[in-house]
Amino acid sequence: IRGKSKTNILKEKDIKDSDLKILEIELSRIKGYHKIFRTNKFLVYINEYHIDLILLCNYYGMLTGNENDEYWQFNSDSEKNAIINPICELEKIKENLVKKTGINKIRMYILLGSNTRLNVKISKINVIRRNNAYFTLSKRNEKKKYTQNEVDLMYKKIKM
């Protein structure tokens, strides 16, 4: 981000990573068989019911733009910066997961940090907050789709 020192940027990165670590710990406590794959930017939660792709969007300020724009505006205090549209990022990650697993039905979420405000109408992606992520992702209103072996196989393919 323009105008910030390397120290501030590293702190923001650490905050992002810690939010995903906390979510990973919470998801690991959900009953049932599952696997979790995490990077410093996104998390894939695979269980016997569905596959969830969660992208962290943790900025200190307001995000504005249109759902289909390539870039969104990030406003914090007096700074204005462009960021890549998180929906575009999610769709690219999903495309890669589909190629690796052969599974097309992947639920996608944008996980907003507690200091992120969103001024964008979004219809094709679920937006969740850190404080309700566990509740939202632990819901199981359907029958099991995958066996434990299938979950393991998808996890191995994603890790490659």
Side-chain angles (χ1 to χ4, degrees), residues 128-145:
I128 54 177
R129 287 259 176 218
R130 187 51 218 97
N131 59 349
N132 68 355
Y134 174 84
F135 177 75
T136 301
L137 297 169
S138 64
K139 286 183 186 175
R140 296 193 173 132
N141 300 333
E142 54 208 40
K143 294 180 181 179
K144 288 184 180 180
K145 292 181 184 174

Side-chain angles (χ1 to χ4, degrees), residues 19-155:
D19 279 348
L20 282 178
K21 283 179 186 174
I22 291 167
L23 180 59
E24 180 180 16
I25 291 166
E26 288 176 348
L27 292 176
S28 70
R29 294 180 181 152
I30 295 175
K31 290 181 181 178
Y33 193 76
H34 57 264
K35 295 282 186 174
I36 300 170
F37 176 78
R38 180 180 55 84
T39 70
N40 67 339
K41 185 75 173 160
F42 69 91
L43 183 144
V44 181
Y45 177 62
I46 310 164
N47 59 50
E48 297 167 303
Y49 300 89
H50 43 72
I51 302 170
D52 294 326
L53 171 59
I54 303 113
L55 177 75
L56 181 63
C57 193
N58 193 11
Y59 296 94
Y60 292 93
M62 174 77 75
L63 293 173
T64 59
N66 293 308
E67 186 174 32
N68 297 318
D69 289 346
E70 187 177 352
Y71 294 95
W72 285 358
Q73 191 74 32
F74 164 61
N75 301 313
S76 176
D77 299 327
S78 60
E79 290 186 36
K80 288 186 178 184
N81 297 289
I83 64 161
I84 295 173
N85 179 343
I87 296 171
C88 295
E89 284 186 82
L90 264 175
E91 288 172 346
K92 286 178 185 174
I93 297 167
K94 179 185 176 183
E95 187 179 303
N96 189 28
L97 292 176
V98 169
K99 285 179 187 174
K100 288 183 173 189
T101 64
I103 306 292
N104 194 30
K105 191 169 183 179
I106 298 173
R107 302 186 319 178
M108 296 189 292
Y109 297 89
I110 293 175
L111 175 65
L112 293 178
S114 58
N115 295 310
T116 306
R117 295 182 315 275
L118 187 65
N119 189 16
V120 180
K121 263 191 177 175
I122 298 177
S123 60
K124 56 186 173 182
I125 303 285
N126 299 301
V127 178
I128 54 177
R129 287 259 176 218
R130 187 51 218 97
N131 59 349
N132 68 355
Y134 174 84
F135 177 75
T136 301
L137 297 169
S138 64
K139 286 183 186 175
R140 296 193 173 132
N141 300 333
E142 54 208 40
K143 294 180 181 179
K144 288 184 180 180
K145 292 181 184 174
Y146 310 111
T147 65
Q148 289 182 7
N149 288 339
E150 289 172 320
V151 170
D152 288 338
L153 184 61
M154 284 185 276
Y155 178 74

